[in-house]
Amino acid sequence: MWPGEQSPAGGPDQPNPYKEPPAPWNAPTVTSGPPGRGPGGGRTRLLAIGAAAAVVVAAAVTGTVLLGGDEDDRAAGPDPAASSASASASASASASADDPRSGDSGPAPTVAGWTVVANPDRGIAFDVPASWAPQSRDWVTYVAEDDDPDEKPLVAMKAPAVLQEEWCASDGDRDGSVDHTPLASAGTRGNNGARSTGEVARTDSAAWVYGAYTQPDRDKVSTGPVTSFTTASGIRGSVATSRSSGVAKKDKCDVDGKATTFAFETADGDFASWSFFGAAGVDDEVPETTVREILATVREYTPSYS
């Protein structure tokens, strides 16, 4: 369940917080390698989406990676029944070596010595410490149910940054291939179809923890209160943090996890969000102060393509 993830948007009063949102994003051809293994023993996936995204829309993950696309995106998408899931990949150095902005110059960092992570499709940027590795603008990270043959995403993020891509290595499924687990990841997505920023903050953070760390045990995920937050650029929204406790240690990479989601309304009136998720209770755990420092840099920008 780790790198390459999913996207939920259930209502606040619904018993299943990981319900599929009504606004799918049609993903283009996947150009990635074999599936990776997440810290919870499941499927987090990293999908390297082909650069010809606007032209080639042979969908991955049964036609929809749920990133809250616009109406035009959904109208142009292929018939999900005619699409098939393609192989997903764990993060690789070659993906990071690609130009993360793919033609978009991106904004300058707001924190000295940090690196800008930009999602030109959504016009959202944030900064991360220099030790993080931004992926390409077409990189999609999602989590799916372990037993879902179609790997329908529970929650997803696009153009993320990853910390310590090979933080833990194991062959938990005994297939002779070593899988790598990242320490943490952060990215952004659209949440069209959601009813409120609070709904997004609560359900997305819980879905990341469940999908990447605890499944099939939903009762091991707890979500704190939704609170208001304003970034340094003046974006006001809702933030929530979810955590797991008591994850079964079936493999050395099985650990508890945490996730924070900040949801807000964009200048265009759409819902969007930034999410962080990573291992918890480990020596290398990303401190909450760092998570909030990264969150504070979230801002909107106007992409410029050369």
Side-chain angles (χ1 to χ4, degrees):
M1 6 177 211
W2 172 253
E5 294 85 26
Q6 329 157 314
S7 70
D13 300 321
Q14 294 173 342
N16 179 4
Y18 315 114
K19 181 180 178 182
E20 175 187 349
W25 175 81
N26 294 312
T29 303
V30 175
T31 57
S32 55
R37 172 183 167 83
R43 302 175 179 153
T44 304
R45 296 287 185 268
L46 295 176
L47 304 182
I49 304 300
V55 179
V56 183
V57 284
V61 193
T62 22
T64 58
V65 174
L66 309 177
L67 291 178
D70 297 329
E71 290 294 333
D72 290 345
D73 295 330
R74 298 197 295 276
D79 178 3
S83 305
S84 62
S86 182
S88 306
S90 58
S92 66
S94 61
S96 297
D98 293 337
D99 177 7
R101 302 287 72 82
S102 298
D104 170 44
S105 59
T110 59
V111 178
W114 284 25
T115 303
V116 174
V117 182
N119 180 347
D121 289 344
R122 307 305 309 183
I124 303 171
F126 61 96
D127 301 338
V128 291
S131 55
W132 290 63
Q135 306 302 302
S136 73
R137 60 169 291 187
D138 295 320
W139 201 258
V140 174
T141 294
Y142 73 92
V143 286
E145 293 280 3
D146 289 348
D147 59 0
D148 181 0
D150 294 326
E151 295 189 24
K152 180 189 294 183
L154 296 173
V155 69
M157 59 175 64
K158 194 173 184 183
V162 177
L163 177 62
Q164 296 187 39
E165 296 174 83
E166 298 184 355
W167 173 69
C168 185
S170 70
D171 181 17
D173 53 10
R174 307 291 193 273
D175 65 352
S177 177
V178 174
D179 299 314
H180 292 96
T181 298
L183 176 61
S185 185
T188 55
R189 58 162 290 191
N191 294 88
N192 295 352
R195 294 181 292 191
S196 69
T197 58
E199 171 191 77
V200 173
R202 179 173 48 252
T203 59
D204 277 25
S205 65
W208 281 119
V209 175
Y210 167 75
Y213 301 99
T214 75
Q215 64 171 301
D217 300 317
R218 297 183 188 274
D219 59 359
K220 289 185 165 117
V221 181
S222 61
T223 302
V226 176
T227 59
S228 60
F229 187 88
T230 302
T231 69
S233 67
I235 297 177
R236 299 181 62 182
S238 303
V239 64
T241 295
S242 297
R243 298 176 180 275
S244 70
S245 178
V247 166
K249 303 298 193 293
K250 299 178 181 177
D251 179 82
K252 73 173 185 176
C253 292
D254 291 340
V255 296
D256 279 307
K258 64 181 182 180
T260 295
T261 295
F262 170 66
F264 57 96
E265 188 172 340
T266 68
D268 294 331
D270 297 324
F271 286 122
S273 62
W274 168 93
S275 287
F276 158 92
F277 71 104
V282 298
D283 291 341
D284 297 330
E285 177 179 351
V286 178
E288 285 304 303
T289 53
T290 301
V291 174
R292 292 296 173 131
E293 287 172 352
I294 296 173
L295 167 55
T297 68
V298 173
R299 58 201 181 275
E300 292 189 82
Y301 81 104
T302 302
S304 60
Y305 299 91
S306 57

